Amino acid sequence: MPARVHAVVVVRPDGRTPAALHLRRTLAAIAALRRPVDALTIVLCGADEELDRIARDATPTHIRTLSLNTGYAAAVAAATSDIDEDALWLLAQDTAPEADALTHLVSALELAPSLAFVAPKLTRWNDRSELASMGVTMTRFGRTVVHAEGQLDQGQHDSREDILGADVRAILVRADAWRDLGGLDAALLGADQGLDLGVRARLASGRVSIVPRARVATSGDGVAGVPAPISPQRRQRAAYIGRTAQLHRRVVYANPVAAILLWLSILPLAAWNTVLLLFRKQPSLIGPEWWAALSAFGRPLAIFRSRRRLAEVKRVPWSQLVPLRVTGSQLREVFGTDEGGESPTVPTRRDLRFFTGGGAWLVLAALATSVVAFPALLAWPVLGGGALQPLRTTVSRLWADASYGQLSLGWNVVAPADPFATVVALIGSTTPWQPSQAIVVLWILALPLAALGGWFMATRVTERSVLRVTAGIAWALAPTFLVALVDGRPTAVIVHLLLPWLFTAASVAHRSWTGAGAASLILVGVIAASPSLAPAFVALWVMMLLLVVFMPSGRGASRVVWLLVPTAVFFAPLIWHAIATGDGWVLLADPGVAWAGPQVVADAAGRSLLAAGIPTFDIAGWTTLLPEGSAWWVPLLVVPLALLALAAPLSQRWASGIALLVVTALGLGTAFAAVGIAVVFDESEVIALWPGAALSLAWLGVLGGALVTLDAALAPRLRAARAAGAVVVSLAIIVLAVPSLTAMARGTAYLDRGDVSTLPAYIAAEGRDDPNVGTLVLTPQSGGGLAAQYVWGGSETLGGQSTVISTQTTATEQNELTGSLAADLVTSTDSAAIEELAAQGISFVLLASDDGDETPAARALRLSATTSLNQRDTLEGVGETAKGELWRVVAEVSERAAPSEETQAMTTIVAISQLAIVGIAVLLAIPTAATRRAARRAPRVVGPYWQEGR
């Protein structure tokens, strides 16, 4: 029978925890025990004057001082190397037993000689009604499962006796069992040491029992066991320790053959778990997972020692432990449900009411409007006009244009593709049989998609169906969006369609990895289509990060940081190219086809139109609908929306109102700046940045602010005003949209039926199967100059455009050679120019057709060039085509220069990096059962929200 108990208290100074306060309470509790300990050893791991004084005041039997990095297992081993007592009580600075705890533990040990050790009921340090542990078990694959952790103590588990293991804190171990089992395993780094000791005791034919009447309060300082996850650093530490212990035990407990295989699989398993952690929305655990894997894999000697210790004591088969392990169904029962249900004080998410609230009808009405406004698109296979061009004929070519390497324009330009090419490739891949048709489908579905996006965006602002429908109408009929549709600006259309989904996801990114992952992907598309929005989004990102950091909880910063990571990875090659060439303006240039089109100028009148959300000097088409000078009142149609937005900071939800006005200010500021910045060249024409995408951002802020104001009207009298305000806003926006919606019928739209190729059909046929067919396109300029461009493949394409080429301001060696060859072609009959073209892989020369508004100087140059080209023996005239006059190079044409090994290596690196970051973001964005449950417990509306009158 145990007659004498030796208590060991391990103490470690730690500035993050009140070690002195905890130690005083623990020593006071030990002194107040009804059954006192017979010997007390205090082990100080690290020198500390205050802790040393507290320890000496307790008059222990022994005091030992060890180094600060001494683990709990080593500290206990040093304190128990020469004990004479019959039982050992393992304590720490944060284990305060109740007065009768030791009495019950000793009684249990005395009444059952087969027991190797007993464990108390562990409760929280400041709340004895909450359980910390009632024993520990494990799954078949070694996962640790703590019984009753976090539950309220209502005696529901007091009938449990036999357990597989226990939390190491406050267990009472027989001295002979302690010596036979070899003590605690230091290789576990402090985690699962009580579980491992219990497994060895069970295999040695001993028993382990829980004593519910013995209660000990614990704090989780981390001296014994895993530290409580009360800070990001402690969560990382706890995850590392726990995972290391699990991997170590898994190899130690396996049979010899399986142990070798398990040890070899540690690192591959870490790679697989990385994917699973991303899918489970736990990226913060990836670092601890890899550190644990490297730690467990790099200690084969520690594994050998642990296996030898286990083999020395094993007396019974592993099958004896099966009843004490937790099964898969039991694990799902414990972790798959919310015990106790949801708290009624937690706001719960209401039904979306998409069908009953009018959202579905809104989308159907928008689809009908689109068909009526753009009926010809239903029969067009390719969409042309404005900044539109056909896409590649195959999906593989689409993605080739989106990769780093040789561009499809220019002599032999090796540069990063615009990220917008990836967006184009993604869209074109939706109709792989004819990628260009995807743009036509996008145009037809643009209005219903915008209405759907506006409706869902409103769900983050209001629960009221009438306001959500108003938001859908206002977003789908926004003047900047309709202008982009009518003028044929794909980048602006894509930005407008993506912005509401970005708002929907990013507004909850701080509280959800699903939202952060989705928002990070959408942000790539938005910035790729309109790089000039990047400064505004960086400013919003900084403000959001600061708000999250200074929130009371302080959590979510890592999710906000992630928002910009995919965008940074996709733009990294272009940023590196800009640094290498010293041309940073390329990063702001509008991607896609360089086309000026109608837009406002950077004067007072133009900025006034921008302030009204109108990006064109024709006042969104009203000057073509009404006689000149009678459309002055049209910008006033946005006044109701603007006034409601300005009133948002004065409402009860002032914080949301201010945030949305900041979005508006950044959008307008970007638009004002854009019209004054010209970095793109279309042959000899300089083109300013398109302000419409920035106006879409401003429109989002204004619309959101107006919804906040209308939603905050709670008094019965104001509710009628709210409905009236929604109607007024909707009618004003509908009236503003009339010219754009009728532009196709009136013949004022820039859209037209596009061709499958921008080159003659003769070249398109050859280039369909050979992307290395080269064509030199010569275009006479209005001032008498000549523009020369190389096109590879069967056509210029939307995804094949490059801002690297369209923003060049200094001539490269290739540019100078191209200019020299073009001049020789149109001014002399020397065959050297043709031989040089053939040597570079150029098979055709195209003199572009007259656009119908040719100047005399351009006409004279065209006649001179035609005469010169017809006189060359090495050129064969194909004839006049719809795209211009075409000649074929008769001389032997060399193959286009293959990309260098360095270029191919860079292509691979860029592709792998981008695929990896997209894969991570997709895994984060995919919702799981756990994230759906969490989402249902959080309000859909973001920001302070009052439930009165609902």
Side-chain angles (χ1 to χ4, degrees):
M1 286 186 176
R4 291 173 55 81
V5 175
H6 190 134
V8 177
V9 180
V10 180
V11 184
R12 177 177 291 112
D14 191 344
R16 296 172 298 177
T17 59
L21 181 62
H22 288 177
L23 180 60
R24 286 194 184 96
R25 177 176 168 181
T26 296
L27 294 179
I30 293 173
L33 289 169
R34 294 193 180 97
R35 196 285 189 199
V37 298
D38 299 288
L40 174 62
T41 297
I42 299 177
V43 182
L44 297 174
C45 297
D48 185 278
E49 294 182 0
E50 184 179 6
L51 294 178
D52 185 71
R53 184 180 68 255
I54 296 171
R56 295 188 183 280
D57 290 344
T59 62
T61 308
H62 304 284
I63 294 180
R64 290 178 177 268
T65 302
L66 304 175
S67 63
L68 180 62
N69 59 357
T70 303
Y72 186 74
V76 173
T80 59
S81 58
D82 55 353
I83 63 169
D84 297 325
E85 287 72 27
D86 301 293
L88 178 64
W89 199 16
L90 305 185
L91 301 172
Q93 67 192 34
D94 61 335
T95 50
E98 294 189 355
D100 58 353
L102 184 56
T103 302
H104 294 304
L105 291 174
V106 170
S107 297
L109 211 57
E110 289 177 342
L111 293 175
S114 61
L115 285 173
F117 67 87
V118 292
K121 176 190 291 185
L122 297 182
T123 63
R124 298 301 184 193
W125 186 258
N126 295 320
D127 186 2
R128 59 174 295 182
S129 65
E130 183 180 348
L131 296 173
S133 175
M134 281 282 289
V136 180
T137 184
M138 64 181 179
T139 66
R140 178 183 177 186
F141 296 103
R143 175 182 173 181
T144 303
V145 179
V146 180
H147 287 299
E149 183 180 23
Q151 298 182 21
L152 293 177
D153 184 11
Q154 299 173 335
Q156 70 271 37
H157 301 292
D158 287 358
S159 61
R160 178 182 290 124
E161 291 185 0
D162 278 356
I163 55 176
L164 180 58
D167 192 305
V168 74
R169 292 171 290 184
I171 61 174
L172 184 65
V173 192
R174 293 184 188 275
D176 55 350
W178 177 260
R179 286 187 289 268
D180 293 342
L181 296 175
L184 303 177
D185 190 349
L188 297 174
L189 304 182
D192 300 341
Q193 290 177 329
L195 172 61
D196 177 69
L197 187 66
V199 168
R200 282 184 278 136
R202 287 282 181 178
L203 292 176
S205 70
R207 291 177 52 233
V208 180
S209 180
I210 190 79
V211 184
R213 298 178 65 187
R215 302 167 63 91
V216 176
T218 63
S219 177
D221 289 358
V223 177
V226 178
I230 59 177
S231 67
Q233 294 78 13
R234 286 198 164 196
R235 285 193 290 272
Q236 297 272 321
R237 177 67 177 170
Y240 162 69
I241 294 174
R243 184 58 175 162
T244 302
Q246 181 184 351
L247 293 173
H248 180 82
R249 288 187 297 103
R250 184 179 293 172
V251 179
V252 170
Y253 296 165
N255 64 59
V257 175
I260 295 175
L261 295 177
L262 287 172
W263 180 71
L264 293 175
S265 68
I266 287 176
L267 295 181
L269 183 64
W272 171 246
N273 281 339
T274 298
V275 177
L276 292 181
L277 289 171
L278 289 170
F279 181 72
R280 293 170 182 165
K281 315 301 176 287
Q282 297 174 312
S284 61
L285 299 183
I286 293 176
E289 171 72 24
W290 278 100
W291 282 116
L294 293 172
S295 178
F297 184 80
R299 298 184 303 167
L301 293 180
I303 293 174
F304 175 76
R305 286 193 295 266
S306 298
R307 289 182 60 85
R308 183 177 62 185
R309 184 189 291 115
L310 180 64
E312 289 173 351
V313 301
K314 187 173 181 292
R315 300 288 183 271
V316 299
W318 281 96
S319 59
Q320 297 292 321
L321 275 60
V322 171
L324 297 170
R325 293 193 306 206
V326 66
T327 63
S329 60
Q330 292 171 334
L331 190 65
R332 286 189 294 272
E333 181 180 353
V334 172
F335 293 99
T337 61
D338 297 323
E339 296 188 22
E342 296 178 355
S343 171
T345 61
V346 177
T348 54
R349 181 165 294 192
R350 294 188 170 200
D351 293 336
L352 193 60
R353 304 194 310 277
F354 177 68
F355 292 95
T356 59
W361 290 108
L362 171 67
V363 174
L364 288 175
L367 178 60
T369 302
S370 179
V371 172
V372 172
F374 307 107
L377 272 62
L378 298 175
W380 290 352
V382 181
L383 193 59
L388 290 164
Q389 277 186 345
L391 273 56
R392 292 292 185 187
T393 56
T394 63
V395 172
S396 60
R397 301 275 179 83
L398 282 174
W399 290 102
D401 281 342
S403 62
Y404 180 96
Q406 288 179 322
L407 302 181
S408 60
L409 299 176
W411 184 299
N412 189 23
V413 181
V414 176
D418 291 336
F420 179 66
T422 302
V423 178
V424 172
L426 192 62
I427 294 173
S429 298
T430 59
T431 56
W433 59 90
Q434 189 177 349
S436 293
Q437 198 169 39
I439 300 297
V440 181
V441 175
L442 176 66
W443 240 254
I444 295 173
L445 297 180
L447 282 177
L449 288 176
L452 181 67
W455 192 91
F456 270 94
M457 174 188 67
T459 63
R460 294 297 186 198
V461 182
T462 179
E463 290 279 2
R464 306 179 191 281
S465 298
V466 64
L467 297 185
R468 292 177 178 179
V469 172
T470 301
I473 294 173
W475 189 256
L477 300 182
T480 181
F481 178 55
L482 294 180
V483 166
L485 284 175
V486 172
D487 288 358
R489 296 185 181 273
T491 56
V493 169
I494 291 170
V495 167
H496 195 84
L497 292 177
L498 291 180
L499 276 178
W501 300 105
L502 177 60
F503 176 83
T504 303
S507 58
V508 295
H510 63 286
R511 71 187 190 195
S512 165
W513 272 111
T514 301
S520 66
L521 286 173
I522 299 171
L523 183 61
V524 174
V526 171
I527 303 299
S530 182
S532 59
L533 289 179
F537 278 109
V538 169
L540 290 173
W541 176 79
V542 171
M543 288 186 284
M544 186 176 181
L545 185 60
L546 292 176
L547 286 174
V548 170
V549 168
F550 289 105
M551 284 174 62
S553 64
R555 301 183 64 177
S558 58
R559 301 185 186 101
V560 177
V561 169
W562 169 260
L563 292 177
L564 282 186
V565 173
T567 301
V569 171
F570 268 84
F571 274 87
L574 203 59
I575 293 173
W576 178 258
H577 182 273
I579 295 174
T581 59
D583 185 12
W585 291 109
V586 67
L587 301 177
L588 293 178
D590 291 328
V593 179
W595 180 67
Q599 68 181 67
V600 300
V601 294
D603 57 11
R607 286 190 166 88
S608 297
L609 287 175
L610 291 178
I614 300 173
T616 54
F617 58 82
D618 63 353
I619 316 181
W622 273 95
T623 58
T624 64
L625 189 65
L626 296 178
E628 186 176 354
S630 61
W632 59 268
W633 52 272
V634 174
L636 299 179
L637 292 172
V638 301
V639 169
L641 190 67
L643 291 177
L644 289 171
L646 291 173
L650 305 178
S651 68
Q652 289 176 301
R653 296 171 59 190
W654 55 268
S656 298
I658 292 175
L660 289 165
L661 284 186
V662 169
V663 173
T664 303
L666 288 172
L668 287 177
T670 303
F672 290 165
V675 294
I677 299 176
V679 295
V680 174
F681 300 89
D682 178 17
E683 296 176 348
S684 58
E685 184 179 5
V686 183
I687 303 173
L689 297 180
W690 168 248
L695 291 183
S696 291
L697 179 62
W699 193 262
L700 185 148
V702 170
L703 180 56
L707 293 178
V708 168
T709 301
L710 293 173
D711 186 65
L714 299 176
R717 188 176 301 174
L718 292 180
R719 292 178 186 176
R722 175 177 60 235
V727 171
V728 168
V729 167
S730 299
L731 290 177
I733 299 303
I734 291 172
V735 171
L736 183 60
V738 168
S740 296
L741 294 178
T742 59
M744 285 285 288
R746 294 183 295 109
T748 59
Y750 284 86
L751 297 177
D752 59 30
R753 181 178 181 135
D755 294 323
V756 295
S757 173
T758 61
L759 300 176
Y762 188 89
I763 302 176
E766 287 201 23
R768 186 183 305 277
D769 299 321
D770 185 2
N772 292 324
V773 171
T775 304
L776 173 61
V777 181
L778 303 175
T779 307
Q781 301 296 289
S782 58
L786 184 70
Q789 177 66 284
Y790 294 101
V791 179
W792 299 95
S795 172
E796 283 191 64
T797 61
L798 184 62
Q801 300 296 320
S802 174
T803 55
V804 170
I805 293 177
S806 63
T807 59
Q808 285 183 344
T809 56
T810 57
T812 65
E813 182 179 348
Q814 291 182 353
N815 296 143
E816 293 176 352
L817 182 57
T818 299
S820 176
L821 289 175
D824 288 345
L825 285 173
V826 299
T827 58
S828 70
T829 58
D830 187 6
S831 62
I834 305 299
E835 293 173 356
E836 182 64 27
L837 290 178
Q840 297 298 327
I842 303 301
S843 302
F844 298 95
V845 177
L846 175 67
L847 186 61
S849 60
D850 177 11
D851 59 4
D853 190 24
E854 199 169 45
T855 63
R859 179 64 179 168
L861 179 59
R862 177 182 300 280
L863 294 174
S864 173
T866 301
T867 302
S868 176
L869 292 171
N870 282 328
Q871 291 177 350
R872 296 179 180 273
D873 296 335
T874 50
L875 283 180
E876 179 183 21
V878 178
E880 187 72 29
T881 70
K883 307 298 181 182
E885 194 162 355
L886 180 65
W887 290 266
R888 185 173 65 86
V889 176
V890 178
E892 183 177 354
V893 179
S894 302
E895 293 289 334
R896 184 186 184 185
S900 64
E901 293 183 0
E902 181 181 354
T903 299
Q904 294 177 2
M906 182 61 68
T907 301
T908 303
I909 293 172
V910 171
I912 291 175
S913 301
Q914 294 178 348
L915 285 174
I917 206 68
V918 167
I920 293 172
V922 168
L923 288 173
L924 290 175
I926 297 175
T928 63
T931 59
R932 286 193 293 268
R933 286 196 299 270
R936 285 194 292 268
R937 293 193 296 268
R940 183 176 285 109
V941 172
V942 179
Y945 205 71
W946 288 265
Q947 299 294 328
E948 303 140 12
R950 299 183 185 280

